[in-house]
Amino acid sequence: MAAHLSYGRVNLNILREAARKELREFLDKCAGSKAIVWDEYLTGPFGLIAQYSLLKEHEVEKMFTLKSGRLPSAEVKNIIFFVRPRLELMDIIAENVFREDKLHSSRDFHILFVPRRSLLCEQRLKEQGVLGSFINIDEYILDLIPYDGDLLSMEYESAFRECYLENDQTSLYHTAKGLMTLQALYGTIPQIYGKGECARHVANMMLRMKREFAGSQNQILPVFDTLLLLDRNVDLLTPLATQLTYEGLIDEIYGISNGYVKLPPEKFAQKKQGEASKDLPTEPKKLQLNSAEELYAEIRDKNFNAVGAALSKKAKIISAAFEERHNAKTVGEIKQFVSQLPHMQAARSSLANHTSIAELIKDITTSEAFFDNLTVEQEFMTGVDTDKVNIYIEDSIAQKDPLIKILRLVCMQSVCNNGLKQKVLDYYKREILQTYGYEHILTLNNLEKVGLLKPQTSSRNNYPTIRKTLKLWMEDANEQNPNDISYVYSGYAPLSIRLTQVLARPGWRSIEEVLKMLPGPHFEERQQLPAGLHKKRQQGENRTTLVFFLGGVTYAEIAALRFLSQMEDSGMEYIIATTKLINGTTWIKSLMDRPESQTP
Amino acid sequence: MMKSKADEEDFWNSSKCKPFTFDDEDDEFSKLKESKQTVKNIRPLVDEDEDEDDVEKISWSGEPVGSISWSVRETAASSQRTEREPAFPKINTDTPAISRSLSGYSLSALFKGGTGKTKGANFQSFTDSQSDSSVRLYAPELRKPKSEYKDIVSDWSPEHTVQRMQQGKVVHLEKFRSLQDKLLLLDFAVSAHDGNVITAVLIYLKRTLSKEVLFRELESRQTALRHFIHYLTETRDQRLLLELLRALGRIEDVALLQYKEHLSIADENKRRDFLKSCLSLPFSPEDSAHVQDHYTLLERQIIIEATDRHAERGGKVEIFQKFPRRASILNMPLITTLYYCCFYHYHESEGTYSSPLNIRQTFRISDKQYFVTALAARAKLKAWSDVDALFTSRNWLGFTRKKSPLSFQRVVDILHRNSAPTQVLQEYVGLVDDSDLRISLAQKHKCHDIVINTYRDLKDRQLLLGYLSKVERGSAEAGKINQLLSNQQIRWRN
């Protein structure tokens, strides 16, 4: 199931196993048969840790989704609520417990808070008068979830909003805790670098926690050489740009959630012989996307313009493999062919899926709308006319294109101009409010608070300096055979990844000036290792850096880091961790005050 | 209530761009066809046992069979079933829904099904031996520092109390009586960075301190303050939150927070009154103007809605009979309202609330927005004379000419989307300045006259000759082309 987690430089399966072990221990604490009541949001992240089979082995016989009203009947001894610590969920749980028929049933109640128990929630349960009904209140610390062989995510959706809009640092505490867990499993990370306010906080907390643990020395040989903590608000630009890698585009267009994507079913309808006129399925086709799938691992990080060629190459290989059957003459040869058949079939169906997905995406990327949008983005990123009202944005508003698209573009213009002229900003705001509704005043205010949208202050626009120094725009980006990370956005090299690249070589000292222009402090810390754990590095052995994006990371940025890992002379391998995998749309959405979520 | 997106779209006649394929076939993507072909070719060979051999079982919804979210649905479904059936005292664990997907389970699950009463502990060892045994060596006891095992209750220092709270143990905050002690406790909680603990302490402080003292002390403790604000937001303690923000002098936040309340008011009259009460709030100057507009808009919408609903029911106003209203105009954005008024109330005098011109003026709508909206509405009604009038301006000599704040290319685009006939389109295509753009638009919309005239003006015989094949044989256009081609007076460039 999770073999792909252990293929990478760092065996992330260890982390998954540790999480599974804890889950089993908790389940065994509640002796006897069980039913789990799920906070639906958690089923996705939990799916990355365990399958139903694991739960079933520990006498979980029924699973329900958390709903108000009465719990479904189930002849089990224990009812366990798996929930996030949220007040509104506590009210539902209280109702469930209240309406339990106490005469006919004697079920025991338990709560498992994920990722951490909350006194506030417990207080709410107490107020509702049900706290005493729980035999067991526990927490399941699911901070960092292994997502792929080189990728960890906390799946903490609101982290950016909390940190930069609400100034609530709870997610940073969880981050620090997660990093401590990681160090318990993979050894103390000797070097910590960081850029940004939140990065500074996390590093401080880690160092503090380490002092508190002092006495129990970590005797594991360090797997990571370096930890780099990056605030998302150091690089507000990158997530706003449309990702142009295969995986990035899948996420931009269809949205990848917990490693799954839902696609329109039409292209996936399988016509079997004899049932040619079967109705098309109407339910979206759901696919799992990770490096366990050989073909996907090969193409996910390519620029989309190189995907067609890669698929066609793969098609030829598979065809050739199937043709082999004509050469199989002896029984032995036929046997061998047959033995390979399952693998070949898997490859074929994987090819079929990705060909269909690529076709779906191609329809969009070749549309005029996509092209125009991309052109404007690229103009902004290269600094063309960022100080005037943009006609394309104006027209898109008049056409009532989706609000999020408009907000992405306006924010991008603001970021690339280090703020908009007051007149320009006012004009955009008025057009947006008139077209989409005045209640979006709230959203616009949020965007201003986090710095995505701002009026230009007297200081001059420093974006061109940053762009030039960090080479954020590469004219000759090679999409087919890339030689630079800028291929992931067909020209734009993500700022966050440039910072990572420069840190590895030649070091941040070379860009002090630019670092000062970006928000928040930059720093370096060292953690002492016990004697004997200092790594003796072999000649030519790569170093390993864990890059932690506080506030989210995009698939294109991940692709760029994987590209750097694979570069022959980089000497560095990257493992990526984040609070949440994001794209411009999900990110802006998390900052919106949406009317529909407000109406009761 | 906010209207759903779909309702709103009705007014807009869905304005999505059509996908556009570039003329030169992109050869990278023609390769997709190739791989698609391969997939097709291979299929017959392996079709028979397609599903059975997949590495992982995937149900049609794509969830691997046995994944958690799949199982939640499955087991919930099976229990519903058992609810309806006469209840047996004991439900068999192998409900039909589960056994159907038996192949998705591990060996141990089968094992369990077979023996029935094996203890959980046995399974533990069984599954552990199944998984990579080396793993366990690496997995130490996590997150359990030594201090957790000793449980000295005598130590009630703030530091120790915070630690105990972090570990989820019982504490007695009542021990902290003096203000100084309470603040010390808060400071320790803050320096532990555990939001959960900070909040717990704040709840205690909120209960035991007067508002004035609490607010004052929080002002110098920014982290704690932010947690307190978050706590009040979360518990929807709006009153105290507003008081706090006011005490802190964050008046713009107060204003926005209060304004936000309107979203939860469903009744339009109450909502209007509430918005009116917001007008005096201390917004920033720009926001203040927007909120004023918001109020004015809703006020008008309520009047327009009442009048129009009445007119529609009365059945005497033709336009409502011909084009029944699809949704109420209440709470729609301003531009949607303008569209509505351009549709139903276009020719009203400037004095009425529903007159488009009045709306344009009251809300300072930009020329461009006004034109796009009016154009779309009138084109939708096929009121071509109104469209014409929109662009016609008369100069002081009395000559008329066509002017537009948006490019004529966009005008053509909007007209085309509202299925304007060729004669109408032609007029506006002809007004496009750039000749290349004009030709490509004319070709796209089959405005033959424009194409022919432009080629004639360019004296391009070859292109004109080529165009002959694109018009119907024997048509007036074909005749015109032939006539031009045989015209001796034109000096062709080629």
Side-chain angles (χ1 to χ4, degrees):
Chain A
M1 248 335 280
H4 62 285
L5 295 178
S6 43
Y7 294 152
R9 163 88 179 204
V10 174
N11 184 358
L12 295 182
N13 214 11
I14 296 172
L15 182 63
R16 186 172 183 266
E17 279 308 324
R20 287 162 70 91
K21 184 175 167 219
E22 244 175 69
L23 183 58
R24 287 194 207 104
E25 281 172 5
F26 171 79
L27 290 172
D28 290 339
K29 259 193 225 167
C30 319
S33 59
K34 313 164 185 54
I36 296 177
V37 182
W38 286 94
D39 171 356
E40 206 161 13
Y41 179 90
L42 288 176
T43 57
F46 257 86
L48 294 164
I49 297 295
Q51 297 293 95
Y52 182 45
S53 54
L54 179 141
L55 303 177
K56 201 155 179 278
E57 284 157 26
H58 294 267
E59 299 179 79
V60 174
E61 292 174 1
K62 289 276 185 297
M63 307 220 275
F64 309 109
T65 342
L66 184 63
K67 270 197 251 338
S68 54
R70 205 171 156 163
L71 283 173
S73 68
E75 293 284 329
V76 289
K77 186 158 179 304
N78 302 287
I79 299 275
I80 313 174
F81 294 93
F82 276 35
V83 287
R84 286 167 297 163
R86 306 197 110 173
L87 291 177
E88 64 273 20
L89 299 180
M90 297 309 111
D91 295 346
I92 300 177
I93 292 179
E95 195 187 343
N96 284 173
V97 172
F98 255 128
R99 300 189 53 177
E100 177 79 356
D101 186 354
K102 303 232 166 44
L103 284 176
H104 296 96
S105 132
S106 57
R107 302 192 285 193
D108 291 344
F109 290 107
H110 313 260
I111 293 187
L112 187 62
F113 283 115
V114 186
R116 222 163 286 278
R117 60 193 286 179
S118 137
L119 296 167
L120 191 53
C121 287
E122 285 167 43
Q123 196 212 9
R124 174 64 69 100
L125 291 173
K126 198 172 169 186
E127 281 164 16
Q128 301 267 22
V130 292
L131 189 65
S133 312
F134 292 94
I135 291 189
N136 196 353
I137 294 180
D138 216 329
E139 62 185 5
Y140 182 65
I141 306 173
L142 193 63
D143 283 328
L144 282 165
I145 306 167
Y147 218 89
D148 213 323
D150 57 356
L151 178 59
L152 300 160
S153 170
M154 294 167 68
E155 291 303 284
Y156 198 118
E157 200 151 32
S158 52
F160 184 85
R161 186 185 169 107
E162 286 178 15
C163 283
Y164 302 98
L165 183 62
E166 287 155 5
N167 285 309
D168 176 339
Q169 292 157 357
T170 310
S171 69
L172 300 181
Y173 175 74
H174 290 189
T175 304
K177 281 279 190 185
L179 283 164
M180 295 314 282
T181 307
L182 212 60
Q183 292 189 89
L185 292 168
Y186 298 96
T188 305
I189 307 176
Q191 260 185 322
I192 303 176
Y193 291 93
K195 170 72 188 163
E197 289 292 345
C198 294
R200 184 67 264 184
H201 271 300
V202 170
N204 286 349
M205 279 188 260
M206 285 173 69
L207 297 173
R208 193 194 140 98
M209 288 171 189
K210 185 161 184 271
R211 279 199 300 276
E212 280 163 11
F213 275 75
S216 56
Q217 280 275 11
N218 186 335
Q219 292 298 334
I220 296 167
L221 193 68
V223 175
F224 298 104
D225 300 284
T226 309
L227 165 66
L228 169 60
L229 296 159
L230 281 178
D231 272 37
R232 184 71 271 175
N233 82 335
V234 169
D235 172 13
L236 292 171
L237 174 55
T238 302
L240 293 170
T242 303
Q243 309 171 67
L244 296 176
T245 58
Y246 180 53
E247 188 166 45
L249 276 166
I250 295 178
D251 188 40
E252 294 275 348
I253 298 168
Y254 299 107
I256 300 174
S257 141
N258 299 123
Y260 287 90
V261 65
K262 283 182 184 165
L263 298 158
E266 299 82 27
K267 295 235 176 190
F268 297 92
Q270 293 192 353
K271 274 194 202 127
K272 295 214 170 177
Q273 284 162 337
E275 43 178 329
S277 63
K278 215 175 102 181
D279 288 4
L280 283 176
T282 48
E283 215 182 309
K285 168 91 172 163
K286 209 169 162 189
L287 279 178
Q288 191 171 23
L289 299 173
N290 62 40
S291 60
E293 190 183 349
E294 193 186 318
L295 175 61
Y296 188 62
E298 258 172 60
I299 59 175
R300 67 196 304 184
D301 299 319
K302 285 188 188 300
N303 183 293
F304 186 62
N305 283 331
V307 167
L311 285 176
S312 114
K313 200 172 120 200
K314 191 76 180 182
K316 282 186 189 127
I317 294 170
I318 295 176
S319 299
F322 274 100
E323 284 311 308
E324 281 292 305
R325 73 184 188 279
H326 300 300
N327 303 333
K329 299 277 188 279
T330 68
V331 174
E333 280 167 350
I334 291 170
K335 226 178 182 174
Q336 213 208 330
F337 178 79
V338 170
S339 75
Q340 286 169 355
L341 212 53
H343 177 73
M344 285 157 65
Q345 276 171 283
R348 183 201 60 85
S349 87
S350 156
L351 178 68
N353 282 339
H354 289 291
T355 306
S356 301
I357 297 173
E359 280 185 323
L360 285 168
I361 293 176
K362 189 198 123 198
D363 285 346
I364 288 163
T365 56
T366 52
S367 70
E368 199 173 3
F370 187 87
F371 182 82
D372 290 347
N373 188 71
L374 199 60
T375 309
V376 174
E377 284 184 9
Q378 300 199 339
E379 279 172 12
F380 287 161
M381 289 191 285
T382 48
V384 177
D385 285 345
T386 48
D387 54 352
K388 303 186 204 140
V389 169
N390 181 283
I391 297 197
Y392 176 75
I393 296 181
E394 209 183 9
D395 286 349
S396 301
I397 295 174
Q399 231 159 275
K400 220 164 191 265
D401 283 353
L403 175 59
I404 291 187
K405 168 190 162 169
I406 308 293
L407 294 177
R408 270 177 88 159
L409 285 172
V410 174
C411 289
M412 185 184 236
Q413 185 176 353
S414 172
V415 172
C416 291
N417 200 51
N418 196 17
L420 295 168
K421 281 188 187 154
Q422 191 68 50
K423 255 178 76 183
V424 176
L425 182 60
D426 288 346
Y427 180 78
Y428 280 141
K429 276 178 155 183
R430 204 180 66 209
E431 294 282 295
I432 288 169
L433 296 177
Q434 289 187 343
T435 308
Y436 299 93
Y438 287 104
E439 65 274 17
H440 294 292
I441 295 174
L442 299 163
T443 298
L444 294 177
N445 266 287
N446 290 349
L447 295 175
E448 282 195 55
K449 275 190 194 136
V450 299
L452 274 164
L453 205 58
K454 58 179 181 184
Q456 206 169 36
T457 46
S458 54
S459 68
R460 62 187 204 92
N461 179 8
N462 55 22
Y463 175 70
T465 317
I466 298 171
R467 187 182 72 231
K468 278 171 209 147
T469 315
L470 293 179
K471 297 196 180 71
L472 297 186
W473 187 262
M474 304 294 275
E475 273 309 330
D476 44 0
N478 187 337
E479 294 168 347
Q480 304 293 331
N481 298 299
N483 50 16
D484 180 74
I485 56 169
S486 56
Y487 85 93
V488 297
Y489 288 98
S490 294
Y492 167 70
L495 195 159
S496 56
I497 313 303
R498 273 288 193 255
L499 289 180
T500 312
Q501 197 180 7
V502 172
L503 177 67
R505 207 160 49 186
W508 275 358
R509 212 161 282 169
S510 64
I511 52 164
E512 283 280 342
E513 284 306 306
V514 165
L515 284 173
K516 277 186 202 141
M517 291 177 186
L518 299 168
H522 56 282
F523 59 88
E524 180 183 351
E525 297 283 353
R526 279 173 192 280
Q527 299 198 90
Q528 281 301 320
L529 294 178
L533 287 184
H534 291 281
K535 237 188 197 170
K536 287 172 202 80
R537 199 171 305 281
Q538 304 291 319
Q539 185 82 43
E541 191 192 326
N542 281 351
R543 299 166 61 85
T544 305
T545 295
L546 176 67
V547 190
F548 205 121
F549 293 86
L550 303 165
V553 68
T554 65
Y555 287 99
E557 286 170 298
I558 294 169
L561 280 177
R562 287 187 182 137
F563 172 80
L564 289 180
S565 292
Q566 282 156 15
M567 276 209 328
E568 269 172 40
D569 56 348
S570 78
M572 189 66 86
E573 288 218 29
Y574 294 99
I575 305 293
I576 303 124
T578 183
T579 49
K580 175 78 189 159
L581 291 151
I582 58 166
N583 60 45
T585 302
T586 58
W587 189 41
I588 297 281
K589 218 182 214 166
S590 79
L591 293 169
M592 288 176 77
D593 265 310
R594 270 158 313 185
E596 55 267 32
S597 68
Q598 300 298 325
T599 32
Chain B
M1 292 295 295
M2 298 308 294
K3 288 293 161 245
S4 72
K5 188 93 177 78
D7 283 348
E8 222 177 280
E9 277 298 315
D10 284 342
F11 283 122
W12 283 92
N13 185 30
S14 166
S15 53
K16 298 267 151 46
C17 278
K18 288 256 153 37
F20 174 81
T21 333
F22 296 109
D23 287 334
D24 47 337
E25 180 64 40
D26 187 351
D27 64 329
E28 275 321 314
F29 285 109
S30 59
K31 285 177 178 163
L32 277 182
K33 290 193 193 112
E34 202 176 325
S35 58
K36 202 178 170 194
Q37 196 55 41
T38 310
V39 171
K40 267 198 204 122
N41 293 344
I42 304 169
R43 186 164 291 154
L45 181 68
V46 290
D47 222 14
E48 301 146 302
D49 46 4
E50 180 141 31
D51 293 324
E52 282 74 13
D53 275 313
D54 274 351
V55 185
E56 191 184 319
K57 292 208 65 112
I58 308 276
S59 66
W60 171 253
S61 65
E63 226 51 88
V65 170
S67 82
I68 288 176
S69 47
W70 179 85
S71 311
V72 171
R73 275 202 302 281
E74 282 300 294
T75 57
S78 71
S79 87
Q80 270 168 15
R81 211 167 306 149
T82 51
E83 255 173 17
R84 263 180 263 112
E85 283 163 18
F88 291 107
K90 195 95 182 162
I91 294 167
N92 191 340
T93 39
D94 284 327
T95 51
I98 288 168
S99 56
R100 225 195 311 143
S101 54
L102 208 56
S103 56
Y105 296 127
S106 67
L107 274 175
S108 49
L110 289 170
F111 181 45
K112 184 182 180 186
T115 53
K117 278 191 179 158
T118 325
K119 286 267 186 298
N122 290 343
F123 285 112
Q124 172 93 47
S125 57
F126 188 77
T127 42
D128 274 355
S129 64
Q130 285 241 307
S131 60
D132 186 359
S133 59
S134 67
V135 158
R136 272 181 298 158
L137 300 176
Y138 283 107
E141 287 298 316
L142 300 174
R143 312 163 190 113
K144 280 178 189 150
K146 289 225 170 67
S147 57
E148 201 173 308
Y149 296 108
K150 48 181 184 204
D151 201 7
I152 315 157
V153 193
S154 59
D155 183 1
W156 284 114
S157 70
E159 191 172 10
H160 187 74
T161 305
V162 166
Q163 262 176 34
R164 284 183 63 90
M165 286 168 87
Q166 279 185 283
Q167 292 152 8
K169 291 186 185 153
V170 185
V171 289
H172 299 287
L173 295 180
E174 290 75 15
K175 305 248 175 198
F176 297 87
R177 284 213 189 90
S178 71
L179 176 61
Q180 200 191 357
D181 282 353
K182 287 174 186 170
L183 293 175
L184 209 56
L185 180 67
L186 180 61
D187 291 339
F188 271 105
V190 166
S191 62
H193 286 103
D194 187 334
N196 193 17
V197 175
I198 300 171
T199 310
V201 173
L202 284 169
I203 294 171
Y204 172 63
L205 262 54
K206 179 188 162 206
R207 212 176 59 217
T208 58
L209 289 177
S210 76
K211 271 184 296 206
E212 291 71 27
V213 175
L214 181 60
F215 291 176
R216 186 190 68 214
E217 294 301 336
L218 285 177
E219 200 165 357
S220 58
R221 291 172 173 80
Q222 285 298 311
T223 310
L225 173 65
R226 290 188 292 249
H227 280 275
F228 193 57
I229 290 174
H230 186 71
Y231 163 70
L232 293 179
T233 315
E234 190 89 335
T235 51
R236 309 216 170 141
D237 194 341
Q238 185 89 351
R239 211 173 41 81
L240 193 59
L241 181 52
L242 287 172
E243 257 176 82
L244 171 64
L245 292 174
R246 231 173 257 134
L248 294 169
R250 290 166 57 175
I251 46 174
E252 280 182 32
D253 288 343
V254 173
L256 285 169
L257 192 67
Q258 205 144 337
Y259 167 76
K260 189 175 176 175
E261 286 250 297
H262 85 267
L263 292 167
S264 53
I265 303 174
D267 180 83
E268 67 264 17
N269 288 310
K270 283 193 188 135
R271 192 186 260 217
R272 179 199 55 204
D273 296 343
F274 182 83
L275 284 173
K276 190 173 185 186
S277 76
C278 287
L279 296 178
S280 57
L281 293 173
F283 290 103
S284 67
E286 311 91 77
D287 285 348
S288 176
H290 296 313
V291 173
Q292 170 75 53
D293 282 352
H294 190 176
Y295 163 69
T296 314
L297 177 64
L298 182 58
E299 192 185 26
R300 278 187 184 219
Q301 285 173 336
I302 290 171
I303 296 168
I304 298 173
E305 176 66 24
T307 319
D308 288 3
R309 194 187 296 143
H310 187 75
E312 192 174 29
R313 289 213 184 118
K316 295 222 173 82
V317 183
E318 190 193 351
I319 183 132
F320 291 121
Q321 300 303 305
K322 254 169 103 179
F323 303 96
R325 304 184 316 144
R326 293 199 186 129
S328 137
I329 195 64
L330 293 173
N331 293 317
M332 290 289 178
L334 173 63
I335 297 298
T336 312
T337 310
L338 177 65
Y339 181 90
Y340 174 95
C341 289
C342 286
F343 197 92
Y344 290 110
H345 303 280
Y346 193 62
H347 293 294
E348 273 170 27
S349 70
E350 219 171 306
T352 68
Y353 272 145
S354 45
S355 143
L357 290 171
N358 187 313
I359 291 178
R360 178 190 189 175
Q361 206 153 44
T362 309
F363 295 96
R364 304 171 306 282
I365 295 172
S366 69
D367 283 358
K368 240 186 185 174
Q369 279 276 29
Y370 181 78
F371 265 78
V372 172
T373 312
L375 180 62
R378 298 324 285 172
K380 177 96 185 164
L381 285 168
K382 314 222 176 302
W384 307 122
S385 60
D386 289 341
V387 169
D388 190 61
L390 256 179
F391 297 102
T392 310
S393 71
R394 213 174 277 276
N395 69 10
W396 57 279
L397 284 175
F399 295 117
T400 62
R401 61 192 200 96
K402 288 270 194 303
K403 248 171 54 180
S404 164
L406 45 147
S407 70
F408 280 105
Q409 185 194 357
R410 284 279 328 271
V411 173
V412 171
D413 191 41
I414 294 168
L415 288 172
H416 174 69
R417 247 187 273 135
N418 287 289
S419 42
T422 312
Q423 306 90 281
V424 175
L425 283 177
Q426 185 150 305
E427 187 168 343
Y428 295 93
V429 172
L431 290 167
V432 174
D433 269 339
D434 182 275
S435 63
D436 289 342
L437 192 58
R438 185 165 66 234
I439 288 190
S440 78
L441 278 174
Q443 288 182 337
K444 189 169 150 198
H445 299 301
K446 301 208 176 357
C447 304
H448 302 304
D449 268 357
I450 292 177
V451 180
I452 295 166
N453 292 342
T454 308
Y455 287 155
R456 181 198 61 202
D457 295 346
L458 291 169
K459 306 200 190 316
D460 197 323
R461 190 184 157 86
Q462 291 307 317
L463 284 176
L464 196 56
L465 203 57
Y467 201 69
L468 193 55
S469 64
K470 298 213 175 100
V471 298
E472 247 178 82
R473 203 179 288 177
S475 65
E477 291 85 14
K480 188 173 172 186
I481 293 176
N482 283 322
Q483 205 185 347
L484 283 170
L485 287 173
S486 56
N487 187 335
Q488 299 296 324
Q489 310 229 290
I490 302 174
R491 289 195 188 165
W492 298 107
R493 285 195 301 132
N494 48 25

